Amino acid sequence: MQIVTVKYATKPGCEGLFRERILRHAATSVANEENCQRFDVSIDPDDSSRFFLYEVYQDEAALHDHHESDHFKAFKVDIVPWVASREAKYYRRISAA
């Protein structure tokens, strides 16, 4: 399993646009990518400009396919004017409870 966490901070006034777009992207990823097993979107309860993503992919190939998908590429272009910062971390699951 490949795990991805991503932290986004949006520019002032762009929270709603980003929120709508990231929710659509998450739904599309789960619906259209057989090996995208989870795509959670969370928001900081104290700061609506901060988002946290938790994504689970079957394996490295599935994550690669996600990054090469048309919907991912469109998402990346769409969010450019709204994002102040992005931090991604990649993990490999070694155990599940």
Side-chain angles (χ1 to χ4, degrees), residues 5-92:
T5 64
V6 187
K7 294 178 185 178
Y8 281 103
T10 61
K11 294 176 183 174
C14 297
E15 299 90 342
L17 293 167
F18 182 83
R19 181 181 181 143
E20 179 183 314
R21 186 63 178 92
I22 189 60
L23 291 174
R24 183 165 36 109
H25 177 60
T28 301
S29 296
V30 171
N32 294 345
E33 297 176 37
E34 179 180 339
N35 294 315
C36 176
Q37 299 180 345
R38 185 177 194 113
F39 198 129
D40 295 340
V41 179
S42 302
I43 193 166
D44 184 329
D46 298 320
D47 184 348
S48 63
S49 72
R50 299 200 174 275
F51 294 80
F52 178 79
L53 313 182
Y54 179 80
E55 306 169 43
V56 179
Y57 297 89
Q58 180 63 39
D59 51 29
E60 284 185 51
L63 179 57
H64 178 266
D65 290 347
H66 173 69
H67 287 152
E68 293 299 315
S69 69
D70 290 340
H71 67 92
F72 179 80
K73 292 175 182 178
F75 166 76
K76 294 287 282 185
V77 170
D78 290 348
I79 66 169
V80 166
W82 310 325
V83 173
S85 67
R86 176 186 177 275
E87 178 186 345
K89 300 281 185 177
Y90 298 88
Y91 302 89
R92 184 174 299 120

